[in-house]
């Protein structure tokens, strides 16, 4: 984050203020900067995948560290004149005034919110400490790295049995820890048919030695050796800025957008994990680029409408 600077109030409004400088926000800023728009990116510096040492599944960037990707991204957007501002946006006023914690405010014609989501983890000792290392959630991100290893699935979510069947493709040695789940006979049959074993009983803690996961300890004291466990976190969007502006949400509480990321509030876009819990880094980046082009056209439409109004008045 040393390449970011502190916000200074601006007289001229930005064409677009991007709130959240992860893959989604920086990709949007890159496209807008190259479109010669006046852009600021405000970022609080806590991308979701920060605990992971490596990022996978991004063509041409597979295995790069998440921090390195963003560092390269920031350098690229800065090269096109985008202002990078370190800070947290507290509130966005309609119109728009983007207020940062501590006082400064940026005026903007359009806002693009790419503030990501937070993963709420089960309160099992060891899970938070090992998150993104050997406690994983997404096999598409990190399954290949633990292929053919002894893997556990923590039964903390009703979808855990399905998750176990999904992860089964990466390893023949899968144990589903039922923990607090009440597995049906059908589920147990299906798991057995696919070679997934079930360890019943409440999970007491993850056993970690020499900075590596060694196993899963059950309440009765038995330890099942595992080198990685998968868990389904509860994903909560960081969407307070959007709901504060009145953006509509769907029945599940997620802010709705059109294909370009446009929300129900004119001039406001939402891209990446804040509006799409399934977005990977590459898809979040793609959504940012799509939204940037839509926002650029929206600004052009406004300029053209004002221009024809001016000519009619003359
Ligand atoms: C442990 C882990 C490993 C992962 N590994 C992979 C992987 O290998 N490959 C892959 O494709 N995906 C992976 N993911 C998913 C990946 O993290 C997301 O797809 C990606 O981060 C989404 O990008 P984003 O820009 O939407 O959000 P983020 O990357 O989370 O960026 C959001 C940014 O907004 C900032 N922010 C939030 N609120 C504010 C505010 N109010 N004001 C200013 N800034 C704010 C945050 O600090 C953050 O910097 C992983 C996820 C986790 C949890």
């Amino acid at each position: 984050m040393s390449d970011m600077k502190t916000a200074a109030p601006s007289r001229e409004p930005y064409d677009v203020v991007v709130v959240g400088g992860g893959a989604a926000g920086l990709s949007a800023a890159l496209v807008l900067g190259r479109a010669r728009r006046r852009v600021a990116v405000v970022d609080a510096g806590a991308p979701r995948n920060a605990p992971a040492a490596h990022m996978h599944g991004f063509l041409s960037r597979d295995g790069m560290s998440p921090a390195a990707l963003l560092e390269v991204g920031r350098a690229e957007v800065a090269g096109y004149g985008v202002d990078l501002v370190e800070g947290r946006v507290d509130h966005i006023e309609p119109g728009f005034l983007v207020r940062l914690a501590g006082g400064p405010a940026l005026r903007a014609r359009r806002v693009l919110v790419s503030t990501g989501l937070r993963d709420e983890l089960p309160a099992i000792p060891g899970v938070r400490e090992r998150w993104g290392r050997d406690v994983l959630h997404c096999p598409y991100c990190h399954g290949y790295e633990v292929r053919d290893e002894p893997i556990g699935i923590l039964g903390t979510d009703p979808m855990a049995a399905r998750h176990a069947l999904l992860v089964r493709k990466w390893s023949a040695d899968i144990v589903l820890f039922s923990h607090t789940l009440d597995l049906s006979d059908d589920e147990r049959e299906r798991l057995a048919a696919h070679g997934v074993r079930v360890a019943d009983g409440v999970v007491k803690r993850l056993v970690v030695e020499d900075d590596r996961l060694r196993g899963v300890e059950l309440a009765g004291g038995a330890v099942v050796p595992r080198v990685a466990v998968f868990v389904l976190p509860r994903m909560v969007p960081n969407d307070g800025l959007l709901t504060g502006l009145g953006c509509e949400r769907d029945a599940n509480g997620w802010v709705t957008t059109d294909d370009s990321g446009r929300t129900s509030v004119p001039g406001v876009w939402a891209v990446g994990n804040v509006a799409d819990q399934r977005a990977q880094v590459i898809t979040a980046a793609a959504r940012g680029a799509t939204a940037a082009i839509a926002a650029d056209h929206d600004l052009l439409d406004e300029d053209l409408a004002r221009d024809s109004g001016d000519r009619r008045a003359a």
Side-chain angles (χ1 to χ4, degrees):
M1 295 288 289
S2 55
D3 44 1
M4 307 278 288
K5 65 183 184 187
T6 307
S10 157
R11 284 162 180 267
E12 283 294 303
Y14 286 97
D15 290 318
V16 182
V17 169
V18 176
V19 185
L26 288 176
S27 294
L30 179 63
V31 172
L32 288 162
R34 287 177 48 76
R36 310 195 73 180
R37 290 293 181 188
R38 198 159 175 267
V39 180
V41 178
V42 186
D43 185 52
R48 182 182 169 209
N49 55 352
H54 304 285
M55 173 199 72
H56 291 282
F58 197 126
L59 188 66
S60 83
R61 298 290 176 272
D62 189 54
M64 194 175 193
S65 86
L69 178 85
L70 298 183
E71 195 181 328
V72 171
R74 285 193 292 270
E76 284 178 355
V77 302
Y80 292 104
V82 170
D83 285 343
L84 296 171
V85 180
E86 192 172 343
R88 174 166 294 278
V89 173
D90 267 352
H91 182 64
I92 304 177
E93 291 176 20
F96 297 94
L97 197 59
V98 178
R99 290 200 174 280
L100 276 73
L106 308 177
R107 288 199 294 141
R109 296 173 66 195
R110 303 288 182 272
V111 289
L112 194 149
V113 176
S114 42
T115 42
L117 63 74
R118 55 189 182 277
D119 296 285
E120 286 188 356
L121 298 169
I124 296 173
V127 166
R128 174 152 297 286
E129 295 84 336
R130 305 304 299 176
W131 176 237
R133 303 177 70 189
D134 30 35
V135 175
L136 310 166
H137 76 296
C138 168
Y140 302 103
C141 302
H142 303 290
Y144 194 82
E145 282 57 54
V146 293
R147 66 193 181 281
D148 302 325
E149 297 282 4
I151 293 173
I153 311 289
L154 300 183
T156 56
D157 182 283
M159 293 300 288
R162 183 175 171 87
H163 208 49
L165 292 166
L166 175 70
V167 176
R168 170 68 182 80
K169 285 193 278 94
W170 279 269
S171 173
D173 184 357
I174 304 281
V175 173
L176 170 61
F177 295 88
S178 63
H179 189 53
T180 51
L181 277 186
D182 190 12
L183 294 168
S184 68
D185 290 345
D186 275 0
E187 279 176 313
R188 286 178 184 274
E189 253 175 54
R190 183 173 296 141
L191 290 162
H194 288 84
V196 174
R197 287 176 292 142
V198 175
D200 283 318
V202 169
V203 172
K204 184 177 168 196
R205 65 173 185 124
L206 303 185
V207 180
V208 178
E209 283 164 14
D210 300 328
D211 202 26
R212 288 181 61 184
L213 179 71
R214 301 291 175 181
V216 176
E217 184 177 336
L218 297 169
V223 175
V224 182
R226 300 286 93 184
V227 304
V229 295
F230 281 77
V231 65
L232 287 168
R234 195 169 84 87
M235 297 177 190
V236 183
N238 299 322
D239 62 2
L241 300 173
L242 294 164
T243 55
L245 281 165
C247 295
E248 279 173 11
R249 292 190 279 184
D250 65 18
N252 297 317
W254 287 72
V255 165
T256 56
T257 69
D258 71 5
D259 287 348
S260 79
R262 190 190 306 254
T263 69
S264 61
V265 174
V268 180
W269 274 261
V271 289
N273 273 164
V274 71
D276 176 8
Q277 62 181 310
R278 290 178 185 272
Q280 299 288 99
V281 179
I282 198 165
T283 38
R287 299 285 289 162
T290 302
I293 292 172
D296 187 52
H297 277 271
D298 196 46
L299 287 162
L300 177 64
D301 287 342
E302 183 181 273
D303 291 342
L304 294 176
R306 192 177 45 227
D307 182 49
S308 21
D310 287 351
R311 276 191 287 113
R312 270 197 300 275

